[in-house]
């Protein structure tokens, strides 16, 4: 395996909703992680079995949101949104997803030497696409 792209139809919960008491996963986060592992292993087992467990990797995450636009921004009312775009923070969705990848693919986070993120507007097609590429550590 030099590269694997995983498409998962659900976005992870934000970091504000994955832990309580500091390090204990909420039931929503635990369910997301379990569902992610089950589906990814079922759909991508042949590719997963080819992963170099001693390799180092680049992790590219593409988040596709139902909407990124504040519709009320275009309103003339006093309650209109202050910004055109919703406050959709990408980075607070990464940790749980990294842990899900670790558990499903048996690649520890310490083997990720490069990571990048994107967000996209995708009405009716919310999802996350994860591309794992084995890279040269030098």
């Amino acid at each position: 395996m030099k590269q694997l792209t995983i498409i998962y139809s659900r976005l992870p919960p934000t970091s504000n909703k994955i832990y309580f008491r500091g390090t204990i996963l909420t039931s929503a986060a635990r369910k997301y992680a379990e569902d992610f592992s089950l589906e990814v292993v079922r759909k991508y087992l042949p590719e997963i079995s080819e992963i170099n467990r001693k390799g180092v990797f680049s992790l590219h995450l593409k988040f596709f949101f139902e909407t990124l636009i504040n519709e009320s921004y275009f309103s003339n009312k006093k309650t209109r949104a202050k910004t055109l775009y919703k406050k959709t923070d990408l980075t607070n969705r990464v940790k749980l997803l990294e842990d899900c990848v670790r558990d499903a693919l048996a690649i520890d986070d310490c083997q990720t030497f490069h990571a990048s993120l994107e967000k996209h507007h995708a009405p009716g097609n919310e999802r996350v696409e994860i591309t794992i590429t084995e890279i040269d550590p030098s």
Side-chain angles (χ1 to χ4, degrees), residues 1 6 21 26 29 40 70 92-94 96 99 106 123-124 128 131:
M1 184 223 70
I6 295 167
R21 294 189 186 156
T26 63
V40 167
N70 277 320
N92 73 5
R93 294 178 184 262
V94 174
L96 181 60
D99 291 347
V128 63
T131 302

Side-chain angles (χ1 to χ4, degrees), residues 67-75 80-88 119 121:
T67 186
L68 294 172
I69 306 293
N70 277 320
E71 294 300 329
S72 70
Y73 180 78
F74 302 103
S75 169
R80 82 176 230 176
K82 294 179 183 172
T83 62
L84 174 59
Y85 298 104
K86 291 185 176 218
K87 294 187 182 226
T88 306
K119 69 179 168 182
H121 184 80

Side-chain angles (χ1 to χ4, degrees), residues 12-47:
T14 68
S15 59
N16 303 332
K17 297 180 180 178
I18 63 173
Y19 296 111
F20 70 92
R21 294 189 186 156
T23 59
I24 301 169
L25 284 179
T26 63
S27 59
R30 207 170 31 259
K31 173 129 178 63
Y32 183 89
E34 289 168 0
D35 292 348
F36 179 93
S37 287
L38 286 172
E39 183 170 327
V40 167
V41 170
R42 183 181 54 77
K43 285 174 76 173
Y44 300 96
L45 186 58
E47 294 91 342

